[in-house]
Amino acid sequence: MNYSKTNKRIFFILLTFFSLQSNAQNLFVNPSFEELNNCTEYHVDCAAEGWFNIPAINFVLNNRKAPKPLRGNMVLVVPVGSVLPTFNKPKFVYTAFCCPLKVNEKYKLSLYLNTAELSFNGLAFYFTEKEPTQFIVNGLVNNSSIIINTNNIDADYKYGWNHISAEYTATGKERFCIITTAGLPPIDYEMKNSMNKSGDVFYCIDDIILKPLIPKNNCSTYDSIKKIIYNQNYRHSENVKAFPEDVIIKPTIRFKNDTLT
């Protein structure tokens, strides 16, 4: 009888904890990527709202390689390499956090990952204070905040999706999240691994969440930062920033003077 009461008490505590966790505010916008950005330059839907690529390419997967979305119709496509050695360089996906992370507090990252039957070789998450651009992104990815690999897989799901989770202790300076393979050992892919006509290789992400381990009240900046991120509609330049108050210093290009006859 006592054993039964103890089990019920433990179950109630766990149920209460996970209920609180489910109510905690997700710091990522558009975490299922169902809301689409209508590009200013072409007036067509071209990418997930709130998420940006460096270089500014809207990647397309071959139908036979594209995984079925976990839920809904969209996923986040993360480039992880190329079958062409010349083009096998790190690429980046980034977004902004809608709430400030508090120094020394713990957060839980969780997401669903699909590698289209490729081996999972890891992804690096860099939480940065500056918004990345083509000119500075390589300088922002020196010390990874979270590296996920097969050790972070805690559940298998349908359609080849795996659930992944990891914990992170904040420094208090995090404003942006960059997802990339930069800083990880490079992988030499075979031609059969190509997932589009350009020879790119991708992982796909769905339902990404970053929440405090101890739930907090909803932050006051969520709506205003979400609006700023959604208002950046130009998606074919790596140097159009969502937060233009951070000045971009472009390199000066000097041409040799010559005479045209």
Side-chain angles (χ1 to χ4, degrees), residues 56-85:
I57 300 171
N58 295 314
F59 296 102
V60 178
L61 282 69
N62 292 338
N63 287 335
R64 62 185 178 84
K65 293 282 190 176
K68 183 175 182 179
L70 182 73
R71 282 181 285 273
N73 301 305
M74 303 301 297
V75 298
L76 181 67
V77 177
V78 180
V80 296
S82 174
V83 301
L84 305 175

Side-chain angles (χ1 to χ4, degrees), residues 245-259:
E245 69 273 13
D246 297 330
V247 178
I248 304 172
I249 301 176
K250 296 186 177 181
T252 302
I253 302 175
R254 300 184 183 277
F255 295 94
K256 181 180 179 181
N257 292 331
D258 204 349
T259 302

Side-chain angles (χ1 to χ4, degrees), residues 26 28-29 31 36 92 99 148 151 161 167 176-177 179 182 226 240 242 248 260:
N26 186 1
F28 288 122
V29 296
L36 298 180
F92 311 88
C99 299
I148 60 171
N151 294 327
W161 290 92
E167 290 187 8
F176 301 92
C177 172
I179 308 174
K226 178 180 178 179
V240 178
I248 304 172
L260 177 65

Side-chain angles (χ1 to χ4, degrees), residues 2-261:
N2 290 337
Y3 178 79
S4 177
K5 287 183 178 179
T6 301
N7 277 349
K8 288 181 180 179
R9 190 177 297 112
I10 293 172
F11 176 76
F12 176 77
I13 292 171
L14 290 174
L15 184 64
T16 302
F17 172 77
F18 286 116
S19 176
L20 287 171
Q21 277 294 96
S22 64
N23 292 329
Q25 191 169 36
N26 186 1
L27 275 60
F28 288 122
V29 296
N30 195 17
S32 60
F33 317 108
E34 294 298 306
E35 296 179 80
L36 298 180
N37 177 72
N38 193 272
C39 292
T40 303
E41 61 274 31
Y42 296 120
H43 304 291
V44 294
D45 292 341
C46 62
E49 282 281 20
W51 296 83
F52 310 94
N53 292 331
I54 299 175
I57 300 171
N58 295 314
F59 296 102
V60 178
L61 282 69
N62 292 338
N63 287 335
R64 62 185 178 84
K65 293 282 190 176
K68 183 175 182 179
L70 182 73
R71 282 181 285 273
N73 301 305
M74 303 301 297
V75 298
L76 181 67
V77 177
V78 180
V80 296
S82 174
V83 301
L84 305 175
T86 305
F87 296 94
N88 196 15
K89 298 177 182 178
K91 299 178 177 66
F92 311 88
V93 176
Y94 84 90
T95 188
F97 294 123
C98 280
C99 299
L101 277 65
K102 296 186 177 180
V103 63
N104 294 329
E105 293 203 1
K106 292 185 179 296
Y107 294 80
K108 183 176 182 180
L109 172 71
S110 65
L111 56 94
Y112 288 91
L113 181 81
N114 195 311
T115 64
E117 300 182 353
L118 287 175
S119 297
F120 177 38
N121 296 304
L123 279 175
F125 288 72
Y126 295 85
F127 299 162
T128 66
E129 187 174 9
K130 292 183 178 181
E131 182 174 4
T133 67
Q134 181 185 22
F135 299 132
I136 68 171
V137 67
N138 289 307
L140 298 177
V141 293
N142 293 320
N143 298 305
S144 58
S145 301
I146 299 175
I147 293 178
I148 60 171
N149 51 40
T150 54
N151 294 327
N152 298 98
I153 298 175
D154 51 28
D156 296 325
Y157 207 61
K158 57 185 179 180
Y159 312 136
W161 290 92
N162 293 306
H163 186 264
I164 286 178
S165 61
E167 290 187 8
Y168 172 74
T169 302
T171 66
K173 295 182 178 181
E174 301 87 349
R175 293 180 59 206
F176 301 92
C177 172
I178 304 172
I179 308 174
T180 180
T181 57
L184 303 180
I187 305 297
D188 293 326
Y189 291 101
E190 301 178 25
M191 290 301 296
K192 65 180 181 180
N193 300 137
S194 174
M195 299 175 73
N196 62 15
K197 292 181 180 179
S198 299
D200 295 303
V201 181
F202 307 100
Y203 295 157
C204 293
I205 290 176
D206 208 350
D207 287 359
I208 187 170
I209 297 171
L210 186 73
K211 292 183 177 181
L213 281 181
I214 300 176
K216 307 291 181 184
N217 294 331
N218 290 351
C219 73
S220 60
T221 61
Y222 188 93
D223 290 334
S224 60
I225 292 181
K226 178 180 178 179
K227 183 177 180 180
I228 292 172
I229 303 171
Y230 275 37
N231 283 344
Q232 206 296 69
N233 297 317
Y234 196 96
R235 296 305 182 88
H236 292 81
S237 172
E238 297 89 349
N239 299 307
V240 178
K241 303 180 70 175
F243 297 83
E245 69 273 13
D246 297 330
V247 178
I248 304 172
I249 301 176
K250 296 186 177 181
T252 302
I253 302 175
R254 300 184 183 277
F255 295 94
K256 181 180 179 181
N257 292 331
D258 204 349
T259 302
L260 177 65
T261 302

